[in-house]
Every structure is written in structure tokens, then in C-alpha cells.
Amino acid sequence: FVIQRTTDLFTADFPDFTAYIKSAVPSTHHLAKQPSLQHSPDRDFAAFVAQKVQQLRTKNVRQIAVICHSDSFWDEIAATLRAQRMPLHILLKRGEQIPADQPLVILSKPSYIGGQEFDAVLAIGLEEGVVPPRIQDNGALAAAVEQQAYREMYISFTRARYQLHVLLSAGSAPTDVLQAARDAEKIIRL
């Protein structure tokens, strides 16, 4: 769904393949869930993210990636996850080897997670006006930044084997592409 909104990865003539997608993981798999969009119930967004990680861990989701799309959330989420008693690894280099047989919580940015896979992905920072940031008076730059955001969303979303959860801060709105995905029932709101 996200890749259909990009203009620089494929031409406008690229066919709409969203109706023909076949999942690599059967929807009957015990860990498989429909992608979800969820707002933090209060202002402590980092605690909300940590709580979501803990909920997944109690459901035996072994490898969880928290992918932070916005630097504005990074420090607080990193500090909160470090304070938890869980196997946390902060991935700051593309291509770094992650043990596939160990339960882990990975905190990273979209640029470092290419080629990796996780049982669940928590995508953070995809609020309207945050990613992509609002750019006024320069349509070309705004379009380029939007396309980069779509590429990063695509990379993040496709790292999830079983579950994708987009977590938004309290009082925020999702980006236009996430709202369109919700309207098209590609992602559910929790």
C-alpha cells in the first residue's frame, strides 16, 4: 500500500498490485495480526512504547524492533527502554548481525534495519507534520522529503514477520498515507 504512493521507486505506469498480494505468513499463524495503528492514551509516549513492548513479550513475541522515524522521540524512548529489564540492543549500523535465535528488543532507525526481520515491528514517529516534516514554499523539496519518508516506511513495515504496530503520540494525527491505509482497511485502529 505504501509503495503504491511512491513516485520515484516506480513509474506511474507501475500496476496496482495491492489486490494480488499473498502473505508469506498464513493469517492463521498464532502470532499473525492485522497491522494496527494506536495512539498513546497519555503524554508519556516512551512509557506507552515500553508497555507495548512488554505486552508483546508476554505473548511470546521473541524479536521486537522499535523503529524510530523521528529523532524527536529517540532519546526518551532509548532511555525508557534501557531502564526496562529486557534484552535491549540499539542498532546503529546497517548490516549488523542480530542473533536470530535469541529474544531481543531492537531500537533502531529506518536507515539501519534493511535486510533484517523481526517477529514484530513498532513504528514510531509517523505523525502528521513530523514524518514527513511540513515544508512550505518549496514544493519540490516537500515532494522529495515525502518520497523519502515513504521509502523509510516501506523498509520499516516490511521488516515485520507477523505483526506491525504503528504507535502515535497522544493527540497526534497519522500521516496522510497511514490515514489512507486506515480508510482502505489495510491497517486497523486500536
Side-chain angles (χ1 to χ4, degrees):
F1 187 85
V2 172
I3 205 166
Q4 286 298 136
R5 271 100 190 124
T6 63
T7 58
D8 59 350
L9 291 178
F10 300 102
T11 67
D13 297 329
F14 191 72
D16 181 359
F17 59 87
T18 56
Y20 307 104
I21 299 294
K22 182 177 179 185
S23 176
V25 175
S27 60
T28 56
H29 189 282
H30 73 281
L31 289 177
K33 304 280 186 230
Q34 184 173 356
S36 71
L37 179 71
Q38 189 173 5
H39 280 86
S40 173
D42 57 36
R43 296 283 174 204
D44 193 348
F45 185 55
F48 171 67
V49 172
Q51 178 185 20
K52 188 69 174 179
V53 168
Q54 290 293 5
Q55 288 171 355
L56 290 168
R57 293 188 75 221
T58 60
K59 293 179 181 175
N60 205 27
V61 177
R62 294 179 50 82
Q63 293 202 334
I64 303 163
V66 178
I67 302 173
C68 193
H69 286 259
S70 172
D71 288 340
S72 63
F73 295 113
W74 179 267
D75 291 336
E76 188 177 359
I77 289 173
T80 301
L81 291 176
R82 279 187 189 111
Q84 304 293 311
R85 294 188 181 265
M86 65 178 80
L88 177 67
H89 179 77
I90 297 179
L91 183 66
L92 295 174
K93 184 173 82 173
R94 186 174 172 91
E96 187 175 333
Q97 295 289 59
I98 298 172
D101 60 341
Q102 296 177 12
L104 290 171
V105 177
I106 303 292
L107 175 62
S108 192
K109 297 180 182 183
S111 56
Y112 304 131
I113 53 114
Q116 307 285 354
E117 277 193 330
F118 308 95
D119 295 336
V121 167
L122 306 180
I124 309 300
L126 296 175
E127 285 89 355
E128 180 65 32
V130 177
V131 173
R134 287 191 183 106
I135 298 174
Q136 298 188 16
D137 302 328
N138 190 333
L141 179 59
V145 168
E146 178 183 65
Q147 291 302 307
Q148 178 63 26
Y150 289 166
R151 282 191 300 276
E152 289 178 352
M153 281 186 237
Y154 172 76
I155 290 168
S156 294
F157 295 176
T158 57
R159 302 304 92 200
R161 282 187 197 100
Y162 306 113
Q163 297 181 33
L164 168 66
H165 303 279
V166 178
L167 305 181
L168 303 173
S169 59
S172 67
T175 64
D176 288 343
V177 72
L178 290 175
Q179 184 61 46
R182 192 170 151 251
D183 294 345
E185 299 178 355
K186 303 291 182 192
I187 189 167
I188 60 170
R189 185 174 180 157
L190 296 179

